[in-house]
C-alpha cells in the first residue's frame, strides 16, 4: 500500500509537539500544542492523561460523518520536547498505529512565519522533538511544519524558539493555527498529495 494514502481501518496518531507548563504555552516552540488544542476543540473533547505514556490524549473522529471519517488519537507529549519520542512510541504501540499514520505538528525555523509545509519522512533539521521521535521509531512519519522564521540578528535559536510569538505575529496567529489544523484534517482524510497541493503554499 502507498503510505501516503490513508487506509480506512487504521487509526491516526496526531502529535502536537511542545513543552508542558504555562510558562511555555505561547512560545514559538509550542505551536504544535496550539494546533492540537484547536483540533481537540473541533472534535469536542478534552485531553486526558494517558497512563504510562507520559502524554495527554484525546480519542475521536474527524471528517464527514460515516465511512469517510477517520479515527484519530490526538496527543501532546508531557515529557518536554527533547524526549518526545518515548511517549509517542508508547502511544503508537498501545493504539497499534502504523508509523506512516503518525503526524507530527511542529515549528520550523527554515520556513517563513505562518507558511506550512507537509511531507512524509526526512531529516529532523535540528528539531529536538523530531530527533527524539526518529530515534524512537524511524523517520517514516508525516510532518506538518509550521513556519516560525529565523531568529533576528545574533539571537540564539534556543532563545528564539522559547520566546513567545511577538505582538505583531500574534495578530495572525489564530488564523495560521486554524489553517494548520485544516491541513492536518486534509492530510488524514484526503491523503498527503491532496493536502500538499492545497496547503504547501
Amino acid at each position: 500500500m502507498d503510505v501516503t494514502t490513508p487506509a480506512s481501518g487504521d487509526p491516526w496518531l496526531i502529535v502536537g509537539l511542545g513543552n508542558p507548563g504555562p510558562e511555555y504555552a505561547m512560545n514559538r516552540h509550542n505551536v504544535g500544542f496550539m494546533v492540537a488544542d484547536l483540533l481537540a476543540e473541533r472534535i469536542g473533547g478534552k485531553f486526558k492523561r494517558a497512563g504510562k505514556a507520559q502524554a495527554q490524549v484525546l480519542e475521536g473522529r474527524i471528517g464527514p460523518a460515516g465511512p469517510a471519517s477517520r479515527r484519530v488519537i490526538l496527543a501532546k507529549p508531557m515529557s518536554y520536547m527533547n524526549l518526545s519520542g518515548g511517549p509517542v512510541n508508547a502511544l503508537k504501540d498501545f493504539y497499534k498505529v502504523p508509523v506512516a499514520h503518525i503526524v507530527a505538528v511542529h515549528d520550523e525555523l527554515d520556513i517563513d512565519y505562518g507558511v506550512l509545509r507537509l511531507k512524509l519522512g526526512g531529516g529532523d533539521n535540528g528539531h529536538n522533538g523530531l530527533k527524539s521521535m526518529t530515534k524512537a521509531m524511524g523517520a517514516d512519519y508525516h510532518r506538518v511544519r509550521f513556519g516560525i522564521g529565523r531568529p533576528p540578528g545574533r539571537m540564539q535559536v534556543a532563545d528564539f524558539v522559547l520566546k513567545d510569538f511577538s505582538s505583531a505575529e500574534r495578530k495572525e496567529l489564530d488564523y495560521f493555527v486554524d489553517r494548520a489544523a485544516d491541513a492536518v484534517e486534509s492530510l488524514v482524510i484526503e491523503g498527503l498529495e491532496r493536502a500538499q497541493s492545497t496547503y504547501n503554499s
Side-chain angles (χ1 to χ4, degrees), residues 56-77:
Q56 290 186 353
V57 298
L58 167 64
E59 294 181 65
R61 299 190 77 85
I62 62 174
S69 72
R70 306 285 182 218
R71 181 181 167 224
V72 297
I73 299 99
L74 290 178
K76 296 192 295 184

Side-chain angles (χ1 to χ4, degrees), residues 123-201:
D124 57 59
N125 204 23
H127 192 288
N128 288 331
L130 298 182
K131 195 175 295 182
S132 179
M133 284 180 60
T134 297
K135 184 177 179 183
M137 60 193 187
D140 294 330
Y141 53 90
H142 289 85
R143 298 99 190 276
V144 173
R145 305 155 73 204
F146 186 110
I148 60 169
R150 301 294 303 186
R154 297 186 178 183
M155 184 185 290
Q156 294 295 310
V157 165
D159 294 332
F160 179 69
V161 299
L162 291 176
K163 284 193 182 305
D164 288 358
F165 285 102
S166 69
S167 56
E169 288 169 334
R170 282 200 295 272
K171 290 176 183 174
E172 294 182 290
L173 183 60
D174 287 348
Y175 168 76
F176 288 139
V177 168
D178 191 71
R179 192 164 184 273
D182 290 345
V184 172
E185 292 181 344
S186 175
L187 168 60
V188 169
I189 296 162
E190 301 177 306
L192 179 60
E193 280 190 26
R194 181 76 65 85
Q196 283 176 325
S197 68
T198 304
Y199 294 99
N200 276 20
S201 45

